[in-house]
Amino acid sequence: MDKFTALTAVAAPLNVANVDTDKIIPARFLKTIKRTGLGKSLFADMRYNDDGSEKPDFVLNQEKYRHAHILVAGDNFGCGSSREHAPWALLDFGIRCVIAPSFADIFFNNCFKNGILPITLPEEVCETLMDDAALGTNARLTVDLERQVVVRPNGEEIAFNVDPFRKHCLLNGLDDIGLTLKHTAAIDAYEAKTPAWQPKIHGA
């Protein structure tokens, strides 16, 4: 998992509440178990017409947001089913941080496990960041995880909270596998002194 320390990037404003995981990545794209290749299908029903052409009004189809790495979203982002493909699709598109007034719990947890930083801020603050994001490439946001601040284009710093353990994992690029591998020596030592389990053979 890539480390997340500080990110300065264009933010895309998605001022829509209750964006569920089926809107983030529709069910028809869930046939894969790979984490790559889903970015092109991110927000597919909101992003494309039935013939596959782009809907020009959708934010990520606008030239200034095609390479956005931050998403400022509406309330209750990521509600619905628990599919982990939702953060996979966001990450594959290039989104490393989502800022919203609130998130669905499972989606929120899945973001951290996949290298995305979800930030919860009051609705009025998110509306201000939406206004900043509307300026596109003329106004970039900075998300500094180590200092736990979002820096607006005018220099104003907005503090946010993050669980210390999750912060540690993001700063060091540690997913569940990475955390386990940090204890490889202890695991090897335990296995070396623990007899391999042998099945009991009746009558032996």
Side-chain angles (χ1 to χ4, degrees), residues 10 12 24 38 42 57 62 67 78 98-99 101 117 120 126 136 151 153 158 170 172 183 193 203:
V10 170
I24 297 173
L38 291 170
L42 177 69
D57 292 337
Q62 297 172 25
H67 303 290
V98 182
I99 303 171
L117 173 62
T120 304
C126 289
V151 185
I158 301 168
L170 282 178
N172 292 279
H183 301 285
K193 68 180 182 181

Side-chain angles (χ1 to χ4, degrees), residues 64-79:
K64 57 187 176 182
Y65 300 117
R66 287 187 182 274
H67 303 290
H69 296 304
I70 301 170
L71 187 67
V72 185
D75 192 41
N76 197 28
F77 190 81
C79 57

Side-chain angles (χ1 to χ4, degrees), residues 22-193:
D22 193 57
K23 288 180 180 176
I24 297 173
I25 184 71
R28 62 186 180 274
F29 300 110
L30 304 187
K31 297 175 183 178
T32 180
I33 57 172
K34 295 181 179 179
R35 300 189 182 195
T36 57
L38 291 170
K40 63 182 180 295
S41 303
L42 177 69
F43 298 118
D45 293 338
M46 304 170 72
R47 193 169 156 199
Y48 303 111
N49 294 305
D50 290 341
D51 63 1
S53 61
E54 292 184 348
K55 296 180 179 180
D57 292 337
F58 185 67
V59 61
L60 296 182
N61 291 336
Q62 297 172 25
E63 194 59 38
K64 57 187 176 182
Y65 300 117
R66 287 187 182 274
H67 303 290
H69 296 304
I70 301 170
L71 187 67
V72 185
D75 192 41
N76 197 28
F77 190 81
C79 57
S81 69
S82 61
R83 66 191 65 168
E84 198 168 3
H85 292 70
W88 291 357
L90 286 163
L91 190 63
D92 194 59
F93 180 87
I95 302 296
R96 291 298 311 275
C97 176
V98 182
I99 303 171
S102 67
F103 296 88
D105 287 343
I106 295 176
F107 174 83
F108 186 79
N109 293 331
N110 282 340
C111 280
F112 284 104
K113 292 182 178 182
N114 288 280
I116 297 174
L117 173 62
I119 296 175
T120 304
L121 290 173
E123 187 171 358
E124 61 272 16
V125 175
C126 289
E127 289 174 356
T128 297
L129 296 179
M130 288 268 189
D131 292 339
D132 289 339
L135 300 174
T137 54
N138 294 319
R140 296 170 183 261
L141 296 180
T142 294
V143 178
D144 189 328
L145 176 57
E146 193 161 19
R147 296 175 55 227
Q148 293 183 210
V149 292
V150 175
V151 185
R152 296 182 59 207
N154 65 4
E156 178 189 357
E157 295 188 349
I158 301 168
F160 63 87
N161 295 319
V162 62
D163 176 81
F165 175 71
R166 287 169 166 168
K167 176 180 178 178
H168 169 79
C169 290
L170 282 178
L171 286 173
N172 292 279
L174 297 172
D175 57 12
D176 289 347
I177 295 173
L179 284 167
T180 301
L181 291 176
K182 286 178 67 69
H183 301 285
T184 299
I187 293 170
D188 289 345
Y190 174 81
E191 289 183 341
K193 68 180 182 181

